[in-house]
Short mmCIF file of all heavy atoms in Angstrom, two decimals:
data_model
loop_
_atom_site.label_atom_id
_atom_site.label_comp_id
_atom_site.label_asym_id
_atom_site.label_seq_id
_atom_site.Cartn_x
_atom_site.Cartn_y
_atom_site.Cartn_z
N MET A 1 153.32 112.53 139.13
CA MET A 1 153.09 113.46 138.09
C MET A 1 151.68 113.93 138.13
O MET A 1 150.67 113.22 138.41
CB MET A 1 153.41 112.89 136.75
CG MET A 1 153.43 113.76 135.65
SD MET A 1 153.78 113.02 133.99
CE MET A 1 155.44 112.44 134.16
N ALA A 2 151.41 115.30 138.10
CA ALA A 2 150.15 115.82 138.09
C ALA A 2 149.31 115.48 136.97
O ALA A 2 149.77 115.19 135.84
CB ALA A 2 150.31 117.43 138.24
N LEU A 3 148.00 115.50 137.24
CA LEU A 3 147.10 115.05 136.09
C LEU A 3 147.26 116.02 134.87
O LEU A 3 147.16 115.47 133.73
CB LEU A 3 145.62 115.12 136.67
CG LEU A 3 144.58 114.58 135.67
CD1 LEU A 3 144.84 113.11 135.26
CD2 LEU A 3 143.17 114.69 136.29
N ASP A 4 147.38 117.26 135.04
CA ASP A 4 147.53 118.15 133.92
C ASP A 4 148.80 117.78 133.17
O ASP A 4 148.77 117.85 131.91
CB ASP A 4 147.64 119.59 134.37
CG ASP A 4 146.36 120.19 134.91
OD1 ASP A 4 145.28 119.61 134.55
OD2 ASP A 4 146.38 121.22 135.58
N ALA A 5 149.89 117.41 133.73
CA ALA A 5 151.10 117.08 133.11
C ALA A 5 150.89 115.79 132.34
O ALA A 5 151.40 115.55 131.24
CB ALA A 5 152.17 116.88 134.11
N LEU A 6 150.18 114.85 132.91
CA LEU A 6 149.87 113.52 132.15
C LEU A 6 148.98 113.80 131.00
O LEU A 6 149.22 113.29 129.89
CB LEU A 6 149.11 112.56 133.12
CG LEU A 6 150.00 111.88 134.20
CD1 LEU A 6 149.13 111.14 135.10
CD2 LEU A 6 150.95 111.00 133.54
N ASP A 7 147.97 114.74 131.13
CA ASP A 7 147.08 114.98 130.06
C ASP A 7 147.88 115.65 128.95
O ASP A 7 147.81 115.28 127.72
CB ASP A 7 146.06 116.02 130.46
CG ASP A 7 144.94 115.42 131.25
OD1 ASP A 7 144.88 114.06 131.31
OD2 ASP A 7 144.16 116.13 131.90
N GLN A 8 148.83 116.52 129.29
CA GLN A 8 149.66 117.29 128.27
C GLN A 8 150.62 116.29 127.58
O GLN A 8 150.77 116.33 126.31
CB GLN A 8 150.53 118.47 128.92
CG GLN A 8 151.23 119.19 127.86
CD GLN A 8 150.26 119.87 126.87
OE1 GLN A 8 149.18 120.44 127.15
NE2 GLN A 8 150.57 119.78 125.65
N LYS A 9 151.20 115.28 128.38
CA LYS A 9 152.02 114.30 127.82
C LYS A 9 151.26 113.46 126.77
O LYS A 9 151.81 113.19 125.70
CB LYS A 9 152.71 113.52 128.90
CG LYS A 9 153.68 112.42 128.38
CD LYS A 9 154.22 111.67 129.57
CE LYS A 9 155.20 110.68 128.99
NZ LYS A 9 155.80 109.78 130.17
N THR A 10 150.04 113.07 127.06
CA THR A 10 149.25 112.27 126.20
C THR A 10 148.93 113.03 125.01
O THR A 10 149.08 112.50 123.77
CB THR A 10 147.95 111.81 126.98
OG1 THR A 10 148.32 111.10 128.08
CG2 THR A 10 147.08 111.05 126.02
N LEU A 11 148.43 114.33 125.07
CA LEU A 11 148.09 115.08 123.96
C LEU A 11 149.37 115.31 123.07
O LEU A 11 149.27 115.30 121.86
CB LEU A 11 147.51 116.38 124.41
CG LEU A 11 146.23 116.30 125.03
CD1 LEU A 11 145.74 117.79 125.48
CD2 LEU A 11 145.09 115.84 124.01
N SER A 12 150.58 115.49 123.65
CA SER A 12 151.63 115.82 122.86
C SER A 12 152.15 114.54 122.05
O SER A 12 152.81 114.67 121.07
CB SER A 12 152.94 116.22 123.78
OG SER A 12 152.49 117.45 124.43
N SER A 13 151.77 113.33 122.62
CA SER A 13 152.22 112.15 121.77
C SER A 13 151.35 111.77 120.67
O SER A 13 151.73 111.01 119.86
CB SER A 13 152.22 110.98 122.87
OG SER A 13 150.95 110.66 123.27
N LEU A 14 150.19 112.43 120.56
CA LEU A 14 149.21 112.15 119.50
C LEU A 14 149.68 112.90 118.18
O LEU A 14 150.19 114.01 118.24
CB LEU A 14 147.87 112.62 119.79
CG LEU A 14 147.20 111.92 121.00
CD1 LEU A 14 145.94 112.55 121.39
CD2 LEU A 14 147.04 110.32 120.74
N PRO A 15 149.47 112.30 116.97
CA PRO A 15 149.83 113.01 115.78
C PRO A 15 148.77 114.17 115.57
O PRO A 15 147.62 114.19 116.04
CB PRO A 15 149.58 111.95 114.70
CG PRO A 15 148.57 110.97 115.30
CD PRO A 15 148.84 110.97 116.82
N ARG A 16 149.23 115.23 114.84
CA ARG A 16 148.38 116.31 114.51
C ARG A 16 147.24 115.76 113.62
O ARG A 16 147.37 114.92 112.79
CB ARG A 16 149.12 117.36 113.76
CG ARG A 16 150.29 118.03 114.60
CD ARG A 16 150.91 119.20 113.98
NE ARG A 16 150.01 120.18 113.65
CZ ARG A 16 149.59 121.17 114.43
NH1 ARG A 16 149.98 121.25 115.77
NH2 ARG A 16 148.65 122.11 114.09
N LEU A 17 145.99 116.38 113.79
CA LEU A 17 144.87 115.84 113.12
C LEU A 17 145.05 116.05 111.56
O LEU A 17 144.67 115.19 110.76
CB LEU A 17 143.65 116.73 113.46
CG LEU A 17 142.30 116.28 113.00
CD1 LEU A 17 142.09 114.85 113.39
CD2 LEU A 17 141.16 117.07 113.52
N SER A 18 145.74 117.14 111.09
CA SER A 18 146.04 117.28 109.68
C SER A 18 146.86 116.19 109.14
O SER A 18 146.74 115.76 108.03
CB SER A 18 146.65 118.67 109.44
OG SER A 18 147.85 118.67 110.09
N GLU A 19 147.77 115.66 109.92
CA GLU A 19 148.64 114.49 109.50
C GLU A 19 147.73 113.19 109.37
O GLU A 19 147.95 112.53 108.45
CB GLU A 19 149.72 114.33 110.52
CG GLU A 19 150.67 115.37 110.59
CD GLU A 19 151.70 115.15 111.81
OE1 GLU A 19 151.57 114.22 112.58
OE2 GLU A 19 152.51 116.09 111.99
N VAL A 20 146.83 112.99 110.34
CA VAL A 20 145.98 111.82 110.20
C VAL A 20 145.13 112.03 109.03
O VAL A 20 144.92 111.06 108.24
CB VAL A 20 145.05 111.72 111.46
CG1 VAL A 20 144.06 110.60 111.26
CG2 VAL A 20 145.97 111.45 112.66
N TYR A 21 144.50 113.25 108.70
CA TYR A 21 143.71 113.39 107.49
C TYR A 21 144.42 113.13 106.29
O TYR A 21 144.06 112.44 105.38
CB TYR A 21 143.20 114.89 107.52
CG TYR A 21 141.99 115.18 108.35
CD1 TYR A 21 141.54 114.18 109.24
CD2 TYR A 21 141.36 116.33 108.33
CE1 TYR A 21 140.49 114.41 110.15
CE2 TYR A 21 140.32 116.60 109.20
CZ TYR A 21 139.90 115.65 110.07
OH TYR A 21 138.76 115.95 110.91
N ASP A 22 145.73 113.65 106.19
CA ASP A 22 146.51 113.31 104.98
C ASP A 22 146.84 111.90 104.84
O ASP A 22 146.83 111.40 103.73
CB ASP A 22 147.90 114.19 105.10
CG ASP A 22 147.64 115.73 104.93
OD1 ASP A 22 146.59 116.08 104.43
OD2 ASP A 22 148.57 116.37 105.35
N ALA A 23 147.18 111.27 105.93
CA ALA A 23 147.56 109.79 105.81
C ALA A 23 146.38 108.96 105.32
O ALA A 23 146.57 107.99 104.60
CB ALA A 23 147.99 109.31 107.21
N TYR A 24 145.04 109.35 105.66
CA TYR A 24 143.96 108.47 105.34
C TYR A 24 143.11 109.08 104.27
O TYR A 24 142.12 108.53 103.87
CB TYR A 24 143.09 108.18 106.58
CG TYR A 24 143.83 107.34 107.62
CD1 TYR A 24 144.48 107.85 108.63
CD2 TYR A 24 143.71 105.96 107.42
CE1 TYR A 24 145.10 106.99 109.60
CE2 TYR A 24 144.37 105.10 108.21
CZ TYR A 24 145.09 105.62 109.40
OH TYR A 24 145.75 104.71 110.23
N GLY A 25 143.52 110.26 103.73
CA GLY A 25 142.79 110.87 102.61
C GLY A 25 141.46 111.43 102.97
O GLY A 25 140.56 111.42 102.26
N VAL A 26 141.33 111.84 104.19
CA VAL A 26 140.12 112.50 104.69
C VAL A 26 139.88 113.80 104.06
O VAL A 26 140.85 114.66 103.96
CB VAL A 26 140.06 112.70 106.25
CG1 VAL A 26 138.93 113.36 106.79
CG2 VAL A 26 140.31 111.21 106.88
N GLU A 27 138.65 114.09 103.64
CA GLU A 27 138.28 115.37 103.08
C GLU A 27 137.15 115.90 103.87
O GLU A 27 136.12 115.20 103.87
CB GLU A 27 137.96 115.27 101.61
CG GLU A 27 139.15 114.88 100.73
CD GLU A 27 138.70 114.79 99.28
OE1 GLU A 27 138.03 115.73 98.79
OE2 GLU A 27 139.00 113.83 98.67
N VAL A 28 137.24 117.04 104.48
CA VAL A 28 136.14 117.59 105.22
C VAL A 28 135.24 118.45 104.32
O VAL A 28 135.79 119.20 103.49
CB VAL A 28 136.74 118.46 106.35
CG1 VAL A 28 135.59 119.14 107.18
CG2 VAL A 28 137.53 117.62 107.30
N ASN A 29 133.98 118.28 104.47
CA ASN A 29 132.96 119.06 103.60
C ASN A 29 133.17 118.83 102.13
O ASN A 29 133.12 119.85 101.26
CB ASN A 29 133.00 120.53 103.97
CG ASN A 29 132.60 120.81 105.42
OD1 ASN A 29 131.73 120.06 105.90
ND2 ASN A 29 133.18 121.77 105.96
N ALA A 30 133.54 117.74 101.70
CA ALA A 30 133.87 117.40 100.29
C ALA A 30 132.63 117.21 99.40
O ALA A 30 132.65 117.30 98.26
CB ALA A 30 134.76 116.13 100.24
N LEU A 31 131.44 116.90 100.12
CA LEU A 31 130.14 116.68 99.41
C LEU A 31 129.26 117.77 99.70
O LEU A 31 129.10 118.23 100.79
CB LEU A 31 129.58 115.36 99.86
CG LEU A 31 130.53 114.07 99.52
CD1 LEU A 31 129.80 112.86 100.10
CD2 LEU A 31 130.70 113.83 98.08
N SER A 32 128.45 118.06 98.68
CA SER A 32 127.26 119.04 98.96
C SER A 32 126.22 118.26 99.70
O SER A 32 126.16 116.96 99.71
CB SER A 32 126.79 119.51 97.57
OG SER A 32 126.12 118.59 96.83
N LEU A 33 125.12 118.95 100.09
CA LEU A 33 123.98 118.40 100.66
C LEU A 33 123.30 117.33 99.70
O LEU A 33 122.76 116.34 100.06
CB LEU A 33 123.00 119.31 101.28
CG LEU A 33 123.40 120.04 102.51
CD1 LEU A 33 122.51 121.12 102.93
CD2 LEU A 33 123.56 118.95 103.74
N ASN A 34 123.21 117.85 98.47
CA ASN A 34 122.55 117.08 97.43
C ASN A 34 123.22 115.76 97.27
O ASN A 34 122.53 114.77 97.07
CB ASN A 34 122.41 117.85 96.09
CG ASN A 34 121.43 118.96 96.18
OD1 ASN A 34 120.46 119.00 96.98
ND2 ASN A 34 121.63 119.99 95.40
N GLU A 35 124.60 115.81 97.26
CA GLU A 35 125.35 114.60 97.11
C GLU A 35 125.15 113.64 98.19
O GLU A 35 125.18 112.45 98.15
CB GLU A 35 126.82 114.88 96.96
CG GLU A 35 127.10 115.68 95.50
CD GLU A 35 128.49 116.16 95.48
OE1 GLU A 35 129.02 116.80 96.33
OE2 GLU A 35 129.15 115.98 94.37
N ILE A 36 125.11 114.26 99.46
CA ILE A 36 125.00 113.33 100.70
C ILE A 36 123.63 112.69 100.62
O ILE A 36 123.55 111.53 100.88
CB ILE A 36 125.10 114.27 101.92
CG1 ILE A 36 126.64 114.80 102.07
CG2 ILE A 36 124.74 113.44 103.10
CD1 ILE A 36 126.77 115.80 103.06
N PHE A 37 122.58 113.46 100.34
CA PHE A 37 121.21 112.89 100.37
C PHE A 37 121.13 111.75 99.17
O PHE A 37 120.44 110.72 99.41
CB PHE A 37 120.21 113.83 100.28
CG PHE A 37 119.87 114.53 101.48
CD1 PHE A 37 120.14 115.88 101.71
CD2 PHE A 37 119.37 113.87 102.65
CE1 PHE A 37 119.89 116.59 102.84
CE2 PHE A 37 119.22 114.56 103.97
CZ PHE A 37 119.47 115.87 104.01
N ALA A 38 121.75 111.97 98.07
CA ALA A 38 121.81 111.10 96.95
C ALA A 38 122.52 109.76 97.41
O ALA A 38 122.02 108.71 97.13
CB ALA A 38 122.53 111.64 95.71
N LEU A 39 123.56 109.93 98.20
CA LEU A 39 124.25 108.73 98.69
C LEU A 39 123.36 108.01 99.70
O LEU A 39 123.17 106.66 99.60
CB LEU A 39 125.48 109.08 99.39
CG LEU A 39 126.67 109.44 98.56
CD1 LEU A 39 127.77 109.97 99.37
CD2 LEU A 39 127.13 108.25 97.75
N TYR A 40 122.65 108.64 100.58
CA TYR A 40 121.78 108.06 101.53
C TYR A 40 120.61 107.27 100.73
O TYR A 40 120.21 106.18 101.18
CB TYR A 40 121.00 109.05 102.31
CG TYR A 40 122.04 109.65 103.45
CD1 TYR A 40 121.59 110.86 104.16
CD2 TYR A 40 123.14 109.09 103.93
CE1 TYR A 40 122.33 111.46 105.15
CE2 TYR A 40 123.86 109.58 104.87
CZ TYR A 40 123.53 110.73 105.53
OH TYR A 40 124.28 111.32 106.49
N GLU A 41 120.12 107.91 99.75
CA GLU A 41 119.08 107.35 98.98
C GLU A 41 119.47 106.11 98.29
O GLU A 41 118.83 104.95 98.35
CB GLU A 41 118.37 108.28 97.91
CG GLU A 41 117.17 107.81 97.30
CD GLU A 41 116.44 108.92 96.40
OE1 GLU A 41 117.04 109.98 96.26
OE2 GLU A 41 115.41 108.58 95.93
N ARG A 42 120.66 106.16 97.62
CA ARG A 42 121.18 104.84 96.92
C ARG A 42 121.46 103.76 97.93
O ARG A 42 121.28 102.62 97.59
CB ARG A 42 122.45 105.34 96.19
CG ARG A 42 122.14 105.99 94.89
CD ARG A 42 123.38 105.89 93.96
NE ARG A 42 124.63 106.53 94.57
CZ ARG A 42 125.07 107.74 94.46
NH1 ARG A 42 124.33 108.60 93.84
NH2 ARG A 42 126.10 108.10 95.03
N ALA A 43 121.85 104.14 99.14
CA ALA A 43 122.17 103.13 100.10
C ALA A 43 121.01 102.58 100.90
O ALA A 43 121.07 101.67 101.64
CB ALA A 43 123.23 103.68 101.26
N GLY A 44 119.80 103.22 100.60
CA GLY A 44 118.63 102.80 101.33
C GLY A 44 118.33 103.26 102.66
O GLY A 44 117.55 102.92 103.42
N PHE A 45 119.17 104.37 102.95
CA PHE A 45 119.02 105.02 104.35
C PHE A 45 118.01 106.14 104.37
O PHE A 45 117.98 106.86 105.42
CB PHE A 45 120.42 105.53 104.90
CG PHE A 45 121.25 104.41 105.28
CD1 PHE A 45 122.48 104.24 104.59
CD2 PHE A 45 120.95 103.46 106.14
CE1 PHE A 45 123.46 103.15 104.90
CE2 PHE A 45 121.75 102.40 106.51
CZ PHE A 45 123.04 102.40 105.82
N SER A 46 117.32 106.45 103.25
CA SER A 46 116.41 107.59 103.36
C SER A 46 115.14 107.11 102.72
O SER A 46 114.99 106.15 101.88
CB SER A 46 116.91 108.78 102.54
OG SER A 46 117.00 108.46 101.17
N ILE A 47 114.02 107.83 103.13
CA ILE A 47 112.74 107.50 102.64
C ILE A 47 112.35 108.60 101.65
O ILE A 47 112.24 109.86 102.08
CB ILE A 47 111.70 107.56 103.78
CG1 ILE A 47 112.14 106.36 104.78
CG2 ILE A 47 110.26 107.28 103.35
CD1 ILE A 47 111.30 106.43 106.17
N PRO A 48 112.22 108.37 100.29
CA PRO A 48 111.92 109.40 99.39
C PRO A 48 110.86 110.45 99.74
O PRO A 48 110.98 111.57 99.41
CB PRO A 48 111.71 108.61 98.11
CG PRO A 48 112.37 107.29 98.20
CD PRO A 48 112.23 107.03 99.76
N LYS A 49 109.84 109.87 100.35
CA LYS A 49 108.68 110.91 100.62
C LYS A 49 109.12 111.88 101.64
O LYS A 49 108.62 113.00 101.64
CB LYS A 49 107.49 110.06 101.31
CG LYS A 49 106.78 109.12 100.37
CD LYS A 49 105.51 108.50 101.04
CE LYS A 49 105.91 107.61 102.06
NZ LYS A 49 104.75 106.75 102.58
N LYS A 50 110.09 111.66 102.49
CA LYS A 50 110.49 112.56 103.48
C LYS A 50 111.65 113.50 103.08
O LYS A 50 111.99 114.40 103.74
CB LYS A 50 111.03 111.77 104.77
CG LYS A 50 109.92 111.11 105.45
CD LYS A 50 110.27 110.45 106.68
CE LYS A 50 109.03 109.75 107.40
NZ LYS A 50 109.44 109.27 108.74
N LEU A 51 112.29 113.29 101.88
CA LEU A 51 113.38 114.04 101.49
C LEU A 51 113.01 115.58 101.30
O LEU A 51 113.85 116.34 101.75
CB LEU A 51 113.96 113.58 100.12
CG LEU A 51 114.88 112.30 100.24
CD1 LEU A 51 115.24 111.80 98.89
CD2 LEU A 51 115.97 112.54 101.26
N PRO A 52 111.86 115.94 100.74
CA PRO A 52 111.49 117.39 100.58
C PRO A 52 111.61 118.11 101.95
O PRO A 52 112.02 119.15 102.08
CB PRO A 52 110.17 117.33 100.05
CG PRO A 52 110.03 116.08 99.29
CD PRO A 52 110.81 115.10 100.06
N GLY A 53 111.03 117.48 103.04
CA GLY A 53 111.13 118.03 104.42
C GLY A 53 112.60 118.27 104.79
O GLY A 53 112.93 119.23 105.50
N LEU A 54 113.50 117.21 104.58
CA LEU A 54 114.77 117.38 104.92
C LEU A 54 115.54 118.54 104.26
O LEU A 54 116.40 119.26 104.93
CB LEU A 54 115.54 115.99 104.71
CG LEU A 54 115.12 114.79 105.64
CD1 LEU A 54 115.74 113.52 105.06
CD2 LEU A 54 115.42 115.04 107.01
N PHE A 55 115.33 118.54 103.00
CA PHE A 55 115.93 119.66 102.20
C PHE A 55 115.45 121.07 102.69
O PHE A 55 116.22 121.99 102.79
CB PHE A 55 115.60 119.56 100.69
CG PHE A 55 116.59 118.54 100.08
CD1 PHE A 55 116.02 117.40 99.64
CD2 PHE A 55 117.93 118.79 100.02
CE1 PHE A 55 116.89 116.37 98.95
CE2 PHE A 55 118.79 117.89 99.42
CZ PHE A 55 118.26 116.71 98.99
N ARG A 56 114.17 121.12 103.11
CA ARG A 56 113.63 122.40 103.59
C ARG A 56 114.31 122.89 104.84
O ARG A 56 114.76 123.90 104.95
CB ARG A 56 112.15 122.24 103.80
CG ARG A 56 111.44 123.57 104.18
CD ARG A 56 109.97 123.51 104.35
NE ARG A 56 109.59 122.61 105.28
CZ ARG A 56 108.93 121.39 105.06
NH1 ARG A 56 108.58 121.12 103.74
NH2 ARG A 56 108.63 120.57 105.91
N THR A 57 114.55 121.87 105.70
CA THR A 57 115.23 122.10 106.92
C THR A 57 116.75 122.33 106.69
O THR A 57 117.33 123.33 107.31
CB THR A 57 115.15 120.91 107.96
OG1 THR A 57 113.93 120.67 108.11
CG2 THR A 57 115.89 121.10 109.27
N SER A 58 117.41 121.73 105.79
CA SER A 58 118.79 121.88 105.49
C SER A 58 118.96 123.35 104.91
O SER A 58 119.92 123.93 105.28
CB SER A 58 119.20 120.90 104.55
OG SER A 58 119.16 119.58 105.10
N ASN A 59 118.14 123.65 103.92
CA ASN A 59 118.30 124.97 103.26
C ASN A 59 118.11 126.16 104.35
O ASN A 59 118.82 127.14 104.16
CB ASN A 59 117.35 125.14 102.19
CG ASN A 59 117.69 124.21 100.98
OD1 ASN A 59 118.85 123.89 100.87
ND2 ASN A 59 116.69 123.92 100.26
N LYS A 60 117.31 125.97 105.27
CA LYS A 60 116.95 127.01 106.20
C LYS A 60 118.19 127.15 107.08
O LYS A 60 118.68 128.32 107.32
CB LYS A 60 115.87 126.57 107.14
CG LYS A 60 115.51 127.62 108.21
CD LYS A 60 114.34 127.26 109.01
CE LYS A 60 114.10 128.23 110.09
NZ LYS A 60 112.96 127.73 111.00
N SER A 61 118.84 126.10 107.53
CA SER A 61 120.14 126.22 108.27
C SER A 61 121.23 126.86 107.52
O SER A 61 122.08 127.58 108.21
CB SER A 61 120.56 124.89 108.86
OG SER A 61 121.01 124.06 107.92
N GLU A 62 121.31 126.58 106.23
CA GLU A 62 122.38 127.18 105.44
C GLU A 62 122.28 128.72 105.37
O GLU A 62 123.22 129.46 105.44
CB GLU A 62 122.48 126.56 104.01
CG GLU A 62 123.08 125.21 104.00
CD GLU A 62 123.11 124.61 102.64
OE1 GLU A 62 122.66 125.21 101.67
OE2 GLU A 62 123.66 123.44 102.49
N THR A 63 120.98 129.15 105.20
CA THR A 63 120.82 130.55 104.96
C THR A 63 120.84 131.36 106.18
O THR A 63 121.23 132.45 106.21
CB THR A 63 119.45 130.82 104.30
OG1 THR A 63 118.37 130.28 105.00
CG2 THR A 63 119.39 130.22 102.90
N THR A 64 120.50 130.75 107.37
CA THR A 64 120.42 131.46 108.69
C THR A 64 121.76 131.15 109.44
O THR A 64 121.94 131.85 110.45
CB THR A 64 119.24 131.00 109.47
OG1 THR A 64 119.36 129.72 109.73
CG2 THR A 64 117.94 131.37 108.74
N GLY A 65 122.45 130.12 109.09
CA GLY A 65 123.62 129.76 109.85
C GLY A 65 123.28 128.97 111.06
O GLY A 65 124.19 128.72 111.87
N GLY A 66 121.99 128.64 111.28
CA GLY A 66 121.71 127.92 112.49
C GLY A 66 121.70 126.45 112.25
O GLY A 66 121.92 125.90 111.12
N ALA A 67 121.59 125.66 113.34
CA ALA A 67 121.67 124.21 113.29
C ALA A 67 120.24 123.71 112.78
O ALA A 67 119.24 124.37 112.99
CB ALA A 67 122.01 123.67 114.63
N CYS A 68 120.31 122.47 112.20
CA CYS A 68 119.06 121.86 111.79
C CYS A 68 118.22 121.44 112.99
O CYS A 68 118.73 120.98 113.95
CB CYS A 68 119.45 120.66 110.92
SG CYS A 68 120.15 121.06 109.33
#
């Protein structure tokens, strides 16, 4: 069997991504940036002194459509 046929067979056997999301309750883009950074802060994964710099970068990417 050709490699392309094996790849297609493998891909065809996988569930659709939307089905996986539904099964596990995945929500894409469910949180705002403020909510994400608040979670990081509560979990101890952020340094409060550095948050203003992160928000400045994040806001720039939202308004220009560019990556951070």
Side-chain angles (χ1 to χ4, degrees):
M1 191 180 291
L3 186 57
D4 288 341
L6 286 173
D7 287 345
Q8 188 58 47
K9 184 177 178 182
T10 300
L11 289 175
S12 297
S13 70
L14 297 172
R16 297 186 58 82
L17 192 56
S18 60
E19 294 170 2
V20 175
Y21 282 6
D22 290 343
Y24 291 96
V26 174
E27 294 180 48
V28 177
N29 297 327
L31 300 176
S32 70
L33 283 176
N34 289 335
E35 292 170 314
I36 291 169
F37 283 117
L39 285 172
Y40 286 165
E41 190 171 6
R42 284 197 305 267
F45 288 121
S46 65
I47 301 169
K49 291 187 289 192
K50 294 188 177 185
L51 284 178
L54 292 173
F55 280 113
R56 184 175 59 249
T57 301
S58 298
N59 290 335
K60 181 179 178 185
S61 69
E62 285 181 356
T63 58
T64 64
C68 293

